[in-house]
């Protein structure tokens, strides 16, 4: 996780999907198009606390290769609730026993105790 700037309640990160370039690195639309994960802004503010996205392991790229990760929307990092606990179903991996996206935590690996269970 690369934090560029930190404030009391938020962090500034480089967009993982385009590696902070702001362009569509896979040329899905065109190589000159704006990165659709960060809308070409290159950096993204995220509300704290944050954790590395377990589904893409912080790359922002989905397992299939060319699309952005649906869990973190290409950021590589996700905002989590302050009272989040590790998901009991996937043990924080974001992926269930059969290798699928964990529906319990929505692939984030943690969930809020208020809403979980
Ligand atoms: Zn981007
Ligand atoms: Zn992700
Ligand atoms: Zn889970």
């Amino acid at each position: 996780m690369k934090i560029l700037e930190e404030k009391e309640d938020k962090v500034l990160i480089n967009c993982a999907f385009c590696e902070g370039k702001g362009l569509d690195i896979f040329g899905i639309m065109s190589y000159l198009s704006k990165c659709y994960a960060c809308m070409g802004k290159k950096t993204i503010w995220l509300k704290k606390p944050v954790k590395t996205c377990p589904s893409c392991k912080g790359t922002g790229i989905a397992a299939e290769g060319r699309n952005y990760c649906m869990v973190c929307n290409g950021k590589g990092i996700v905002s989590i609730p302050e009272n989040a606990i590790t998901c009991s179903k996937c043990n924080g991996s974001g992926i269930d026993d059969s290798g699928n996206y964990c529906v319990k935590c929505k692939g984030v690996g943690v969930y809020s105790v208020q809403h979980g269970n």
Side-chain angles (χ1 to χ4, degrees):
M1 179 184 319
K2 200 151 89 195
I3 291 174
L4 304 172
E5 203 181 320
E6 191 160 356
K7 294 220 167 125
E8 206 174 309
D9 61 340
K10 57 186 180 178
V11 293
L12 185 69
I13 57 152
N14 249 336
C15 172
F17 190 65
C18 64
E19 296 172 331
K21 295 184 176 69
L23 296 170
D24 180 358
I25 53 162
F26 292 106
I28 296 162
M29 299 298 278
S30 109
Y31 288 104
L32 297 173
S33 295
K34 282 181 182 167
C35 166
Y36 51 70
C38 62
M39 300 300 165
K41 291 196 196 91
K42 304 176 185 173
T43 54
I44 304 165
W45 282 104
L46 272 179
K47 198 177 170 298
K48 288 208 281 194
V50 294
K51 78 189 279 287
T52 301
C53 172
S55 286
C56 62
K57 298 184 175 60
T59 61
I61 301 163
E64 307 86 70
R66 275 166 50 109
N67 289 318
Y68 69 80
C69 171
M70 297 303 282
V71 175
C72 61
N73 293 323
K75 298 184 201 68
I77 295 172
V78 283
S79 280
I80 59 170
E82 266 171 48
N83 57 358
I85 57 164
T86 302
C87 176
S88 56
K89 190 168 184 205
C90 64
N91 271 322
S93 68
I95 294 166
D96 71 13
D97 292 342
S98 39
N100 296 315
Y101 164 91
C102 176
V103 287
K104 185 158 186 166
C105 60
K106 300 186 176 65
V108 178
V110 298
Y111 53 76
S112 164
V113 282
Q114 280 162 356
H115 305 295
N117 280 336

